[in-house]
Amino acid sequence: MTGINVLIYTGNGTSPNSVRHTQKTLKSLLGHAYDVVSVDAKTLRVEPWEETCALLVIPGGRDLPYCNDLNGVATSRIKQYVRGGGRYLGLCAGGYFGSSTIEFEQERKDMQVCGKRELELFPGLCRGTVYPGFVYESEQGARSAAVRLANEHLQAYYPSDSLVPKSIDMYYNGGGYFAHADQYPNVQVLGRFVDAGICKDEDYPAAAVYCSVGHGSAVLISTHPEYDITHLEQPDLNTAMFAELIRSEPDRKSFLRAVFAKMDLQVVGYDKNRVDEIKVPDLTPIYLTAMNGQIAKAVATNLQTEANDSVITDSNDTIFLTNSNEDPVLKKLEALTVDDKNDEDKPKPIEIRFPDYTSNPACPDRSLTPYFDIKKYYEALLERRDKEWGGGKWYRFGNALMYAEVINSTQTILDKNYNFAQQLPTGLACIATTQLAARARGRNSWVSQMGALQFSFVLRHSLRLSNSPVVFLQYLIALAVVESVRTRKGYEEVPLRVKWPNDVYAEDGDDLKKVGGLLVNSSFVQDEFLVVIGCGINVSNPRPTVSINDVIQKHNSSLPKIAPEDMLAGILVTFEKFYSDFCEKGMGSWFLDLYYKRWLHSDKIVTLTTHDNVRVKITGITSDYGMLEAIAIEGDKKRYTLQPDGNSFDMLKGLIMKKM
């Protein structure tokens, strides 16, 4: 089963420490190919998470709250997901929860938890705690536990046999052992406790098991291999234990990498016999650029009016406005960065660097933006405009551009800093090569990878445009992405399509693969909406799904690949053309005819889980409020309309479901 999301359960009962370490470790080993996303019980019960899920993780914590919140619908869906080819990772309490039966602290009446479990991914008993002294929500009973690895089941997932450690000292805090795991034909033991602890009938009871479940797999681990001991919040561990765990850090990472490789996940490689884990890069300056110096100076002047001594303190970020490497304000930025370096949750300060206003275009030296050629972008923008009626002389979207090699999120900086955004002109775009916290609609995700086109832009939409409701903007940008490719000579039949309400897919025979996600946020003040439109498009990156250039080459290998600079220019020009017509004409056949030609849903039969599972035929979207329109295929042929926000279209299952 393919997917782009690694889902980590963070509902009732989860340990904050375990969640934090799980997120950090999984991002370092899988973050190059997957987005690591938190989910709660409601998500697992009601949302269509399975389609995009590559791995579901239930971390350490307490098993009983898991049962209380997930038993029934959620566990049934998890089992079905795994059996259908999905993957499950259970750590400590997640291992108990994934077993058929558990016995926890049977001799301690105040803590005893025993009984059957619904998930049953491991078909036997998980009994614990293996070692005495466990205390809920505490590290007091924690210890270093030696786990002997099963070379025969793991060696294939290490670069060489010599790199498979015989045993690893792992952080342990309350897990159980998987009783007599060898007797089950669908179970492989990946690791065994060297010290049997409470186990009396096995010398080396199983500490980690790999379970084949239908077409999928589940790995249950009693220890905490996800824990990075150097980031443990309570460093009150004894010196010997701390030293053992520190020595095992490289082996811990290698073991988890091997486990994920065994589960057929895309894992990081090795560098000099060590796991080449993903390192979070530092934020880089955001370079303000413009078609000419006059535009750049106007934007910079507006921003300075909002600043106090060249610093804008906004609701989400602190933004420093600079002119060069010698700018005095950089000393303030450096001091603030040092003060915040240990606070991972606090947004890091942002630097926006102004250009030389005498250059056209106004932009930094090419050496400062090696992954995006800003001059090439402005050339492509003018070239695309020149093909429009009248040469597109009045077009303005994209005239100003902010570029960063590394940013937290292009959407966040524009959408979550209202005072800052108010000073920006309509059509200003913000683009980044790498995003550390890419945002998407609802709980959907978009993985930020090299080769993806990731940008957001500002739009002011007047309330006086009563015939042009703001809800249609997501349809305009979705079609603009598709048409920016398909209107090129020779590219007319490239199989890019629109999925309602705001995704872009590629047709690959009978298969459909997502190549883009879109997000529209808006705030309202006085008589206008301040809209921020965000796009994440797979232009050249083959992961996590497929890239647009791959689709183009497969369609016709003689067609040139599209550069990101050209793609961005094409999208902005196409969107501005649609938007100008939309403001003048409102929504109508001029747009909808082409939209229906490109979308995936005409006359599709789907089930509305939002309306008692009635089966309907999709007929289109309403021209007044942009709602999906469908007609019941049985009975009184009742007409249904569904809002784009709050509903999710699961095409693989033919379902429209409520998105919470």
Side-chain angles (χ1 to χ4, degrees), residues 209-241:
V209 292
Y210 175 94
C211 309
S212 298
V213 184
H215 296 288
S217 60
V219 172
L220 311 183
I221 304 175
S222 296
T223 56
H224 285 282
E226 80 281 13
Y227 266 51
D228 181 346
I229 199 65
T230 62
H231 288 81
L232 195 63
E233 280 190 350
Q234 291 134 319
D236 56 346
L237 310 177
N238 68 67
T239 304
M241 172 183 170

Coordinates of all heavy atoms in Angstrom, one line a residue, residues 209-241:
V209 N 8.5 -8.0 17.6 CA 7.9 -9.0 16.7 C 7.5 -8.4 15.4 O 7.0 -7.3 15.4 CB 6.8 -9.9 17.3 CG1 7.3 -10.8 18.4 CG2 5.7 -9.0 17.8
Y210 N 7.6 -9.1 14.3 CA 7.1 -8.7 13.0 C 5.9 -9.7 12.7 O 6.2 -10.9 12.6 CB 8.2 -8.8 12.0 CG 7.7 -8.5 10.5 CD1 7.8 -7.2 10.0 CD2 7.2 -9.5 9.7 CE1 7.4 -6.9 8.7 CE2 6.8 -9.2 8.4 CZ 6.9 -7.9 7.9 OH 6.5 -7.7 6.6
C211 N 4.8 -9.1 12.4 CA 3.6 -9.9 12.2 C 3.1 -9.7 10.8 O 2.8 -8.6 10.4 CB 2.5 -9.6 13.2 SG 3.0 -9.7 14.9
S212 N 2.9 -10.8 10.0 CA 2.3 -10.7 8.7 C 0.8 -10.8 8.9 O 0.3 -11.7 9.5 CB 2.8 -11.8 7.8 OG 4.2 -11.7 7.5
V213 N 0.1 -9.7 8.5 CA -1.4 -9.7 8.7 C -2.0 -9.4 7.4 O -2.0 -8.3 6.9 CB -1.7 -8.6 9.7 CG1 -3.2 -8.6 10.0 CG2 -0.9 -8.7 11.0
G214 N -2.6 -10.5 6.8 CA -3.2 -10.3 5.4 C -2.1 -9.9 4.5 O -1.1 -10.5 4.4
H215 N -2.4 -8.8 3.8 CA -1.4 -8.2 2.8 C -0.5 -7.2 3.5 O 0.4 -6.6 2.8 CB -2.1 -7.6 1.6 CG -2.9 -8.6 0.8 ND1 -2.3 -9.5 0.0 CD2 -4.3 -8.7 0.7 CE1 -3.3 -10.2 -0.6 NE2 -4.5 -9.8 -0.2
G216 N -0.7 -6.9 4.8 CA 0.1 -5.9 5.5 C 1.0 -6.5 6.5 O 1.2 -7.7 6.6
S217 N 1.5 -5.6 7.4 CA 2.4 -6.0 8.4 C 2.3 -5.1 9.6 O 1.9 -3.9 9.5 CB 3.9 -5.9 7.9 OG 4.2 -4.6 7.5
A218 N 2.6 -5.7 10.8 CA 2.6 -5.0 12.0 C 3.9 -5.3 12.8 O 4.3 -6.5 12.9 CB 1.4 -5.3 12.9
V219 N 4.5 -4.3 13.3 CA 5.7 -4.5 14.2 C 5.4 -4.0 15.6 O 5.0 -2.8 15.7 CB 7.0 -3.8 13.6 CG1 8.1 -3.9 14.6 CG2 7.4 -4.4 12.3
L220 N 5.5 -4.9 16.6 CA 5.2 -4.5 18.0 C 6.6 -4.6 18.7 O 7.3 -5.6 18.7 CB 4.2 -5.4 18.6 CG 2.9 -5.7 17.8 CD1 2.0 -6.5 18.6 CD2 2.2 -4.4 17.4
I221 N 6.9 -3.5 19.4 CA 8.2 -3.4 20.2 C 7.9 -3.0 21.6 O 7.2 -2.0 21.8 CB 9.1 -2.4 19.5 CG1 9.3 -2.8 18.0 CG2 10.5 -2.4 20.2 CD1 10.2 -1.8 17.2
S222 N 8.4 -3.8 22.5 CA 8.2 -3.5 24.0 C 9.0 -2.4 24.5 O 8.7 -1.9 25.6 CB 8.3 -4.8 24.8 OG 7.4 -5.8 24.3
T223 N 10.2 -2.2 23.9 CA 11.1 -1.2 24.4 C 10.7 0.1 23.7 O 9.7 0.3 23.1 CB 12.5 -1.6 24.2 OG1 12.7 -1.8 22.8 CG2 12.9 -2.8 24.9
H224 N 11.6 1.1 23.9 CA 11.4 2.4 23.3 C 12.6 2.8 22.4 O 13.4 3.6 22.7 CB 11.3 3.5 24.4 CG 10.0 3.5 25.0 ND1 8.8 4.0 24.5 CD2 9.6 3.1 26.3 CE1 7.8 3.9 25.3 NE2 8.3 3.3 26.4
P225 N 12.7 2.1 21.2 CA 13.8 2.4 20.3 C 13.7 3.8 19.7 O 14.6 4.3 19.0 CB 13.7 1.3 19.3 CG 12.3 0.9 19.3 CD 11.9 1.0 20.7
E226 N 12.5 4.4 19.8 CA 12.3 5.7 19.3 C 12.9 6.8 20.1 O 13.1 7.9 19.7 CB 10.8 6.0 19.1 CG 10.0 6.4 20.4 CD 9.7 5.3 21.3 OE1 10.2 4.2 21.1 OE2 8.8 5.5 22.2
Y227 N 13.3 6.5 21.4 CA 13.8 7.5 22.3 C 15.3 7.8 22.0 O 16.1 7.0 21.9 CB 13.8 6.9 23.8 CG 12.6 7.3 24.5 CD1 11.3 7.1 24.0 CD2 12.7 7.9 25.8 CE1 10.1 7.4 24.7 CE2 11.5 8.2 26.5 CZ 10.3 8.0 26.0 OH 9.1 8.4 26.7
D228 N 15.4 9.1 21.8 CA 16.8 9.7 21.6 C 17.2 10.1 23.0 O 16.7 11.2 23.5 CB 16.8 10.9 20.6 CG 18.1 11.5 20.4 OD1 19.0 11.2 21.2 OD2 18.3 12.3 19.5
I229 N 18.1 9.4 23.6 CA 18.4 9.6 25.0 C 19.1 11.0 25.2 O 19.0 11.6 26.3 CB 19.4 8.5 25.5 CG1 19.4 8.5 27.1 CG2 20.8 8.7 25.0 CD1 18.0 8.1 27.6
T230 N 19.7 11.6 24.2 CA 20.3 12.9 24.3 C 19.2 14.0 24.5 O 19.6 15.1 24.8 CB 21.2 13.2 23.1 OG1 20.4 13.2 21.9 CG2 22.3 12.2 23.0
H231 N 18.0 13.7 24.2 CA 16.9 14.6 24.3 C 15.9 14.2 25.3 O 14.7 14.7 25.3 CB 16.2 14.8 22.9 CG 17.0 15.6 21.9 ND1 18.0 15.0 21.2 CD2 17.0 16.9 21.5 CE1 18.6 15.8 20.4 NE2 18.0 17.0 20.6
L232 N 16.3 13.4 26.2 CA 15.3 13.0 27.3 C 15.1 14.2 28.2 O 16.1 14.8 28.7 CB 15.9 11.8 28.1 CG 14.9 11.0 29.0 CD1 13.8 10.4 28.1 CD2 15.6 10.0 29.7
E233 N 13.9 14.5 28.5 CA 13.5 15.7 29.3 C 14.0 15.5 30.8 O 14.2 16.5 31.5 CB 12.0 16.0 29.3 CG 11.6 16.7 28.0 CD 10.2 17.2 28.1 OE1 9.5 16.8 29.0 OE2 9.8 18.0 27.2
Q234 N 14.0 14.3 31.3 CA 14.3 14.0 32.7 C 15.7 13.3 32.8 O 15.7 12.1 32.7 CB 13.2 13.2 33.4 CG 12.0 14.0 33.6 CD 10.7 13.2 33.2 OE1 10.8 12.5 32.2 NE2 9.7 13.3 33.9
P235 N 16.8 14.0 32.8 CA 18.1 13.4 32.8 C 18.5 12.9 34.2 O 19.7 12.9 34.5 CB 19.0 14.5 32.4 CG 18.3 15.8 32.9 CD 16.8 15.5 32.9
D236 N 17.5 12.3 34.9 CA 17.9 11.8 36.3 C 18.2 10.3 36.2 O 18.0 9.6 37.2 CB 16.7 12.1 37.2 CG 15.4 11.5 36.8 OD1 15.3 11.2 35.6 OD2 14.5 11.5 37.6
L237 N 18.6 9.8 35.0 CA 19.0 8.4 34.9 C 20.3 8.2 35.5 O 21.2 9.1 35.5 CB 19.0 8.0 33.4 CG 17.8 8.4 32.6 CD1 18.0 8.0 31.1 CD2 16.5 7.7 33.1
N238 N 20.6 7.1 36.1 CA 21.9 6.8 36.7 C 23.0 6.9 35.6 O 22.7 6.6 34.4 CB 21.9 5.5 37.5 CG 21.8 4.3 36.6 OD1 22.7 4.0 35.8 ND2 20.7 3.6 36.7
T239 N 24.1 7.2 36.0 CA 25.2 7.4 35.1 C 25.5 6.2 34.2 O 25.7 6.3 33.0 CB 26.5 7.8 35.9 OG1 26.2 8.9 36.7 CG2 27.7 8.1 34.9
A240 N 25.5 5.0 34.8 CA 25.8 3.8 34.0 C 24.7 3.6 32.9 O 25.1 3.2 31.8 CB 25.9 2.6 34.9
M241 N 23.5 3.7 33.3 CA 22.4 3.5 32.3 C 22.5 4.6 31.2 O 22.3 4.2 30.0 CB 21.0 3.7 33.1 CG 19.8 3.7 32.2 SD 18.3 4.0 33.1 CE 17.2 4.2 31.8

